[in-house]
Amino acid sequence: MPILRKYGFVIAVLALCLVMAVYLYLSSSKEAKPNLDQNLKAPSFQLTDLDGKQVTLGDSEGKVRVIYFFYANCPDVCPPTTYLMTQVQDKLKASGTFGKDVEFMSITFDPKRDTAEAMRKFAGKFDIDMSGWKFLREDSEEQTKQLMKDFGLGLIKDDATNLFTHTDTITFVDRKGVVRKYLTGSIDETQSPEKIVNVIDALVEE
């Protein structure tokens, strides 16, 4: 046909552009495989859970560990980051990995105020499934601070106000006990449950 002969090249170019646009859209809609860019042997610890039982990192060997250091009196990032983690929890429950392949740990660095009762009250503000999520404490504030340091995290206490400046960081430990990734929590406005799940899924699949 004359029209096809006259505009055939233009039509072909437009068709190619359309195919490329669809490809780029589909590619960008999928989460890229995360860069597991850390390789730090996670420090061992022995902490106490809400029921007074001793918990070690080795107890959950073979699972991916998602660890967050917090304190219940936190006026800013700890509550929204904990809520963010509950959204991750729900996605993992839907896929069947929460508790089975993945365990969450929230560790307080304010043990004087964060008694088991105080932490239970804090946890009760969120839709937390305790079957795969432990809230842990150490009697010594200094030992907890050292544990954070061993994990590569920072903590500063203002003794005048009893407030802490701390890293709002979620730490990912693989099945073998190696820190493989750090992600900023809710302080990063671009953070999302999907990004966190993407990291966890990559570790589960290893």
Side-chain angles (χ1 to χ4, degrees):
M1 295 176 64
I3 294 179
L4 288 177
R5 284 198 298 271
K6 184 176 180 181
Y7 297 105
F9 177 74
V10 175
I11 293 172
V13 171
L14 290 174
L16 180 60
C17 290
L18 178 62
V19 170
M20 287 300 297
V22 171
Y23 171 77
L24 290 173
Y25 171 76
L26 293 176
S27 298
S28 64
S29 65
K30 296 179 181 179
E31 287 284 352
K33 188 173 182 179
N35 181 19
L36 303 174
D37 53 0
Q38 302 295 323
N39 186 26
L40 170 70
K41 180 66 177 177
S44 61
F45 57 72
Q46 180 171 302
L47 303 172
T48 305
D49 68 11
L50 297 182
D51 296 320
K53 297 178 181 178
Q54 297 299 301
V55 175
T56 69
L57 183 66
D59 292 339
S60 54
E61 192 79 359
K63 294 182 180 181
V64 174
R65 275 64 58 94
V66 181
I67 300 174
Y68 182 62
F69 287 88
F70 82 108
Y71 72 119
N73 286 284
C74 181
D76 39 52
V77 296
C78 300
T81 296
T82 301
Y83 173 69
L84 176 65
M85 291 173 66
T86 64
Q87 293 177 295
V88 176
Q89 166 200 268
D90 293 343
K91 290 182 179 296
L92 296 178
K93 288 176 69 174
S95 66
T97 57
F98 183 76
K100 175 177 174 288
D101 297 295
V102 185
E103 185 166 296
F104 286 16
M105 297 179 179
S106 290
I107 303 174
T108 179
F109 45 75
D110 187 18
K112 292 181 180 179
R113 290 184 293 178
D114 284 351
T115 61
E117 182 181 353
M119 288 199 295
R120 197 182 297 277
K121 183 177 180 180
F122 176 87
K125 298 176 182 178
F126 307 91
D127 185 19
I128 288 173
D129 185 345
M130 292 293 186
S131 68
W133 191 332
K134 289 183 170 61
F135 279 75
L136 304 171
R137 63 187 300 277
E138 161 67 66
D139 288 336
S140 169
E141 187 177 300
E142 284 303 314
Q143 288 182 3
T144 307
K145 183 177 181 179
Q146 183 61 49
L147 180 61
M148 287 186 68
K149 183 178 180 180
D150 293 341
F151 266 104
L153 306 174
L155 178 69
I156 300 174
K157 182 180 181 180
D158 183 341
D159 291 322
T161 63
N162 280 326
L163 294 176
F164 293 85
T165 299
H166 63 97
T167 48
D168 181 37
T169 302
I170 302 171
T171 304
F172 301 84
V173 178
D174 68 15
R175 296 179 186 271
K176 297 179 181 180
V178 178
V179 175
R180 300 290 298 284
K181 189 73 176 176
Y182 298 104
L183 285 181
T184 303
S186 61
I187 197 172
D188 179 359
E189 294 181 357
T190 68
Q191 193 57 270
S192 69
E194 290 75 19
K195 290 181 182 178
I196 298 173
V197 169
N198 197 31
V199 171
I200 296 171
D201 285 347
L203 291 171
V204 168
E205 292 166 6
E206 282 191 336

